[in-house]
Amino acid sequence: MTKVIAILNQKGGVGKTTIAANIGVSIAKRGHSVLMVDSDPQGSLRDWSEADEGEGLTVIGLDRETLAKDIESVKAPYDFVIIDGRAKAEKMAGAAIRAADLVLIPVAPSALDIWGASDITEAIAARHEVTEGKPATRFIINAATKNTKLIEEIRPATQESGFNPLNTVLYSREIYKQTMGDGLTVHSAKNADALEEIENLTTEIMEILNNES
Ligand SMILES: Nc1ncnc2c1ncn2[C@@H]1O[C@H](COP(=O)(O)OP(=O)(O)OP(=O)(O)O)[C@@H](O)[C@H]1O
Ligand SMILES: [Mg+2]
């Protein structure tokens, strides 16, 4: 059965596309077939894929509100589908939530950003009322700095939202910007610290999906 991961936040610039590409490559390197879905008409993930074919992932654009149905009709041959979400698009987010087994919500390490994701968390909570808790949902703390107190500091805000953060935190690193600009991921840069956090993130994601099935 294909597992669908949606990376969503109505706020722009929180790392949706960066995380989608990096975990997509990480999952593919573990021997799974992966379909990347760019749901953003801006086409950032398609631009990334065009910049360099080095990472070899299949990227398609499905940027209509029929997303859930469209994914249903193409997902079968793949082990994983990863949806790169679109900011400021309520109906698209709703469709992605319906299609997903796991929703990941990238946020900066601040309570304000977690509260700011309430459009998504409330839509998921509403969905849970009719699905007995599916899709599984986690925050990803992205672009943290070494001084951030992180999980302890944001814990109250995540509890209010009803969803937990993944243990793995992604730090702010130039290597994410550089590699994405070249159509690559941290896997090609062989940056040990960035690679380790992406691999830890992917392992956590796989564990959640295994426990769900
Ligand atoms: N951990 C990180 N460290 C450094 N830069 C990062 C990190 N994550 C993302 N960025 C940078 O932040 C910017 C926004 O990231 P990205 O495009 O992935 O966000 P997005 O949520 O997809 O944005 P949009 O809503 O516009 O689609 C990019 O320049 C990206 O390179
Ligand atoms: Mg994006």
Side-chain angles (χ1 to χ4, degrees):
M1 276 285 279
T2 310
K3 295 288 185 186
V4 180
I5 302 169
I7 303 176
L8 305 177
N9 191 327
Q10 299 290 72
K11 188 169 173 184
V14 293
K16 295 181 289 291
T17 303
T18 303
I19 292 169
N22 277 279
I23 66 170
V25 169
S26 179
I27 292 173
K29 283 186 183 294
R30 294 179 188 206
H32 305 288
S33 56
V34 179
L35 176 66
M36 304 294 295
V37 173
D38 186 349
S39 75
D40 189 342
Q42 277 186 80
S44 313
L45 193 66
R46 281 167 277 181
D47 292 343
W48 168 78
S49 158
E50 261 175 33
D52 184 308
E53 290 179 10
E55 303 289 14
L57 286 183
T58 304
V59 181
I60 63 167
L62 296 176
D63 51 24
R64 301 296 165 94
E65 286 161 14
T66 50
L67 180 73
K69 188 175 71 168
D70 298 341
I71 285 181
E72 201 54 43
S73 64
V74 295
K75 73 178 189 181
Y78 296 92
D79 300 322
F80 290 87
V81 173
I82 299 179
I83 306 170
D84 177 17
R86 172 185 177 185
K88 302 191 190 89
E90 203 177 315
K91 285 189 180 153
M92 286 290 290
I97 290 166
R98 282 198 301 283
D101 297 292
L102 172 64
V103 175
L104 300 171
I105 309 170
V107 285
S110 89
L112 273 183
D113 280 65
I114 289 161
W115 291 325
S118 61
D119 288 352
I120 292 290
T121 52
E122 285 168 14
I124 294 168
R127 178 77 184 154
H128 280 181
E129 286 180 15
V130 293
T131 59
E132 297 173 355
K134 294 210 167 178
T137 302
R138 300 287 190 280
F139 289 104
I140 296 180
I141 299 166
N142 185 37
T145 59
K146 291 287 173 195
N147 296 327
T148 319
K149 284 203 199 105
L150 300 175
I151 307 257
E152 312 87 80
E153 215 160 73
I154 58 150
R155 182 75 66 189
T158 59
Q159 274 166 353
E160 267 173 58
S161 76
F163 300 109
N164 290 318
L166 292 174
N167 293 322
T168 307
V169 168
L170 301 182
Y171 281 88
S172 178
R173 302 180 193 278
E174 278 304 308
I175 197 72
Y176 286 113
K177 286 197 207 312
Q178 288 163 12
T179 47
M180 287 298 290
D182 294 336
L184 299 169
T185 62
V186 296
H187 299 82
S188 303
K190 304 205 169 17
N191 176 299
D193 292 337
L195 192 55
E196 186 184 1
E197 66 190 15
I198 289 296
E199 289 306 308
N200 289 343
L201 187 72
T202 303
T203 299
E204 267 196 80
I205 290 167
M206 299 299 236
E207 280 169 8
I208 293 167
L209 287 170
N210 284 339
N211 291 338
E212 289 293 303
S213 58

